[in-house]
Amino acid sequence: MDIVRAPTTAVLMGDIVNSRDRHTPARLHALFNDAVTAANQNNGADILSPLTITLGDEFQGITTSLTTAATIARQLRLDLLQSGIDCRFVIGQLRLQTPINTSMAWNMMGEGLARARSKLNDKQTGLFYRVALFDDPTHEILFDALCLSLSTIEADWTDIQAQTVAQTLAGSSVEDIATRRAVTTRNVYKTLKSAKLDVYTTLWTALLTGFTKIEEP
């Protein structure tokens, strides 16, 4: 008899690493809540169980795919980084064994949750993004290597570089950014070059392409 398995989705977990001492606990909590709420609103169609803050500085949610989870992680990372808040993320494969809770990401069980949680709890890696897969250690290592490269680039950004990269990836033109910052377009191009935007986007393309490939039917 064939075993019918639940479809594979993805879990996204994250927590705050460092607020750079810029915010009071109340302000930090408000900024974190605002960012998570915005992510839910902006990605509603791709979120099966909404990103839910489970502790004061942690959240989790369930998305339609690894690609979606990674895209949301980057959005959240750059959003929070502009407020001086470092956040780490785990993007994991998930096969739920209970119904999806469409109200909040609590009270569910499934293959992949424990592994993702274990990688989130491993705080010694220095990675802002990590990947957790069921039974594919080779791809998991390769994906984590890409995540290490992405994290290394982000760790070197200044506040202005992080802001400029975030605005660029959100769709703002160099001209728009220059106007908002009251600088020349040359200055903006220089900022993006020093932030290694070309390398950064190439790495993200590789990561998302890899996710798409392993999730093909």
Side-chain angles (χ1 to χ4, degrees):
M1 182 176 67
D2 292 336
I3 298 176
V4 179
R5 307 190 73 179
T8 299
T9 55
V11 59
L12 175 62
M13 296 180 179
D15 66 0
I16 294 173
V17 177
N18 180 14
S19 64
R20 299 182 186 173
D21 300 322
R22 293 186 182 183
H23 308 294
T24 64
R27 178 61 176 161
L28 177 62
H29 181 70
L31 289 169
F32 190 42
N33 271 270
D34 288 347
V36 169
T37 298
N40 281 321
Q41 292 174 344
N42 295 335
N43 299 278
D46 294 314
I47 294 178
L48 301 176
S49 185
L51 307 183
T52 305
I53 297 177
T54 54
L55 296 172
D57 62 353
E58 292 186 8
F59 78 88
Q60 70 179 29
I62 297 173
T63 71
T64 55
S65 68
L66 293 169
T67 302
T68 297
T71 301
I72 295 172
R74 186 178 71 179
Q75 291 172 352
L76 266 172
R77 166 77 176 151
L78 296 181
D79 186 10
L80 289 167
L81 200 58
Q82 292 179 80
S83 297
I85 302 171
D86 278 337
C87 213
R88 303 179 311 121
F89 302 90
V90 173
I91 301 147
Q93 276 184 320
L94 174 63
R95 185 174 290 117
L96 280 175
Q97 297 158 342
T98 56
I100 293 175
N101 186 338
T102 58
S103 299
M104 59 184 66
W106 292 352
N107 196 27
M108 290 177 286
M109 296 179 62
E111 183 182 4
L113 286 172
R115 180 159 182 76
R117 174 60 58 182
S118 176
K119 296 196 81 167
L120 184 69
N121 289 337
D122 181 5
K123 302 180 185 296
Q124 305 302 315
T125 64
L127 274 68
F128 298 126
Y129 311 94
R130 297 196 74 186
V131 177
L133 304 180
F134 291 139
D135 51 9
D136 192 346
T138 299
H139 276 107
E140 185 175 280
I141 290 171
L142 292 173
F143 288 144
D144 271 350
L146 288 171
C147 291
L148 175 59
S149 297
L150 289 166
S151 300
T152 301
I153 291 174
E154 290 183 1
D156 286 338
W157 284 344
T158 65
D159 291 345
I160 289 297
Q161 288 171 345
Q163 182 183 67
T164 306
V165 169
Q167 292 173 352
T168 300
L169 294 179
S172 292
S173 68
V174 168
E175 291 75 16
D176 289 340
I177 295 172
T179 299
R180 285 198 295 268
R181 286 180 50 198
V183 298
T184 65
T185 56
R186 177 181 176 83
N187 182 284
V188 177
Y189 279 120
K190 185 177 180 180
T191 299
L192 292 174
K193 182 177 181 180
S194 60
K196 300 180 180 178
L197 179 62
D198 288 346
V199 176
Y200 185 71
T201 54
T202 298
L203 291 168
W204 268 109
T205 298
L207 186 66
L208 297 178
T209 299
F211 286 158
T212 300
K213 187 66 178 178
I214 68 172
E215 290 185 310
E216 287 179 349

